Amino acid sequence: MSYVNPKGDFDRDTDYITTRITADGRDGYPVEPGRYRLVVARACPWANRSIIVRRLLGLEDVLSIGFCGPTHDERSWTFDLDPGGVDPVLKIPRLQDAYFKRDPEYPKGITVPAVVDVPTGAVVTNDFPQITLDFSTEWTQYHRDGAPDLYPEKHRDEIDEVAQRIYTEINNGVYRCGFAGSQGAYDKAYDRLFTALDWVSERLENQRYLVGDAITEADVRLFTTLARFDPVYHGHFKCNRSKLSEMPVLWAYARDLFQTPGFGDTTDFVQIKQHYYMVHTDINPTRVVPKGPDLTNWLTPHGREQLGGRPFGDGTPPGETPEGERVPDGHGAG
């Protein structure tokens, strides 16, 4: 759960279930193919990260995925996209059922992504920053041939440092703007956000990716916020100094990633807009979802190849998205 403090500032609750699924099983949950289910919602930026990383690393055959619908009520994310509104593997209608299996008195928000232990039906973890790092470092035995190294050891300190600033100032910064409860809190949040966007734009002006010469965890973390910027954050969250499409470096960088397998093909703009505009009734009480913006410009040339770099480093692009996991026609940028 997150809340607005008495000064009007948005505070995100970051107290997650920190149990980890590891190669050695030290927390009681060893990496095992077929044992776990990643539960996500395409609308959610934190969950979108885990969808991207799972796809880039080729974990589809060893870690199944369940998709919640784009909207939820005050109780829980729900499986309303599935026949009968029930997840076909976990056999539950609400994600909260898996949380309550872990802790019948679970007192906090029901969040995605969550990794569920299929045999017991209980959530193992919802610690979204750690989930994707563990996909990269603990699930290596099951990575596809040619999987990229998204968290290379020689760059980890720098990735952590960049990712931390992206999280506090950009990923969370847009929410700080959108849920500000006072003018002063909003003004402060707005300035923080665009200071950070200017910083990251400057960093990317002469290098294709955030750290090193290939895509890393840091790029995944920035992309999911940039993809939502014009459809949602610019208007709905009042992050309106400029659109992403008016920030030349970031716009080219975002299109470069979007056109890279694993990024644009996991982005569902329809669900993104439905989620934010329909769930946040305190901000948008009419629940009217805007028709715009035009998204075809995501597919225009970006010119970032001239900066060099290799998207997948020594690896290769992922293959086709498995049947049943594809973004529906008309929900992307085509």
Side-chain angles (χ1 to χ4, degrees):
M1 287 293 180
S2 302
Y3 65 96
V4 176
N5 70 24
K7 293 181 180 175
D9 300 303
F10 170 79
D11 289 330
R12 181 176 296 282
D13 183 351
T14 53
D15 187 8
Y16 295 99
I17 302 172
T18 55
T19 307
R20 290 173 61 190
I21 298 168
T22 56
D24 63 8
R26 57 185 177 273
D27 284 1
Y29 293 96
V31 169
E32 285 179 30
R35 175 170 173 179
Y36 305 100
R37 187 159 177 82
L38 174 64
V39 178
V40 297
R42 291 194 190 277
C44 170
W46 323 104
N48 198 171
R49 294 177 181 186
S50 63
I51 302 170
I52 292 169
V53 171
R54 172 180 173 273
R55 173 148 160 65
L56 294 179
L57 298 178
L59 293 172
E60 293 98 334
D61 290 341
V62 296
L63 176 67
S64 72
I65 193 165
F67 293 97
C68 296
T71 61
H72 58 75
D73 57 26
E74 67 283 351
R75 288 166 58 202
S76 178
W77 291 90
T78 53
F79 293 100
D80 44 298
L81 301 176
D82 291 307
V86 172
D87 180 86
V89 171
L90 300 173
K91 310 295 186 193
I92 55 175
R94 293 176 166 275
L95 181 55
Q96 72 175 14
D97 297 337
Y99 278 81
F100 292 159
K101 266 283 172 65
R102 172 70 184 256
D103 176 4
E105 304 296 321
Y106 187 74
K108 307 179 86 62
I110 307 299
T111 61
V112 289
V115 183
V116 179
D117 180 41
V118 175
T120 62
V123 167
V124 179
T125 181
N126 64 343
D127 186 358
F128 67 88
Q130 193 62 49
I131 286 172
T132 49
L133 295 180
D134 284 344
F135 286 171
S136 283
T137 58
E138 300 291 336
W139 291 72
T140 49
Q141 184 184 347
Y142 300 103
H143 288 182
R144 66 178 174 87
D145 290 341
D149 186 351
L150 300 175
Y151 197 47
E153 212 146 341
K154 65 179 179 180
H155 291 311
R156 282 185 191 173
D157 287 348
E158 189 178 0
I159 291 170
D160 290 346
E161 186 183 327
V162 170
Q164 182 59 30
R165 186 167 180 189
I166 286 170
Y167 170 70
T168 58
E169 303 302 302
I170 299 175
N171 299 147
N172 207 36
V174 292
Y175 284 84
R176 208 178 286 117
C177 291
F179 287 104
S182 70
Q183 190 66 48
Y186 166 73
D187 291 348
K188 187 172 64 174
Y190 176 102
D191 291 342
R192 278 181 69 176
L193 171 65
F194 283 99
T195 296
L197 287 170
D198 289 343
W199 161 73
V200 86
S201 178
E202 199 174 307
R203 184 181 182 93
L204 288 164
E205 196 161 357
N206 297 305
Q207 64 187 63
R208 192 169 176 189
Y209 303 110
L210 283 166
V211 180
D213 69 346
I215 290 165
T216 66
E217 174 79 20
D219 297 292
V220 176
R221 294 187 180 196
L222 179 56
F223 171 79
T224 58
T225 294
L226 296 183
R228 288 156 178 76
F229 203 88
D230 287 3
V232 175
Y233 301 145
H234 179 271
H236 184 58
F237 278 179
K238 307 181 186 72
C239 303
N240 64 349
R241 187 194 75 180
S242 36
K243 295 176 182 171
L244 175 66
S245 56
E246 296 165 348
M247 295 184 263
V249 172
L250 288 181
W251 177 223
Y253 165 81
R255 295 198 320 277
D256 186 6
L257 289 178
F258 187 87
Q259 294 169 32
T260 300
F263 288 84
D265 55 23
T266 62
T267 303
D268 186 320
F269 289 115
V270 170
Q271 289 196 24
I272 287 167
K273 291 197 299 183
Q274 287 174 336
H275 171 71
Y276 285 91
Y277 285 100
M278 295 175 75
V279 170
H280 301 152
T281 51
D282 47 345
I283 300 176
N284 186 41
T286 64
R287 303 180 85 221
V288 171
V289 180
K291 290 181 76 170
D294 178 10
L295 300 165
T296 53
N297 53 5
W298 276 97
L299 302 177
T300 56
H302 51 77
R304 298 277 294 176
E305 304 94 341
Q306 65 190 19
L307 295 174
R310 300 168 299 151
F312 301 101
D314 295 329
T316 57
E320 289 294 311
T321 306
E323 193 69 46
E325 296 188 14
R326 293 177 192 151
V327 171
D329 290 344
H331 285 218

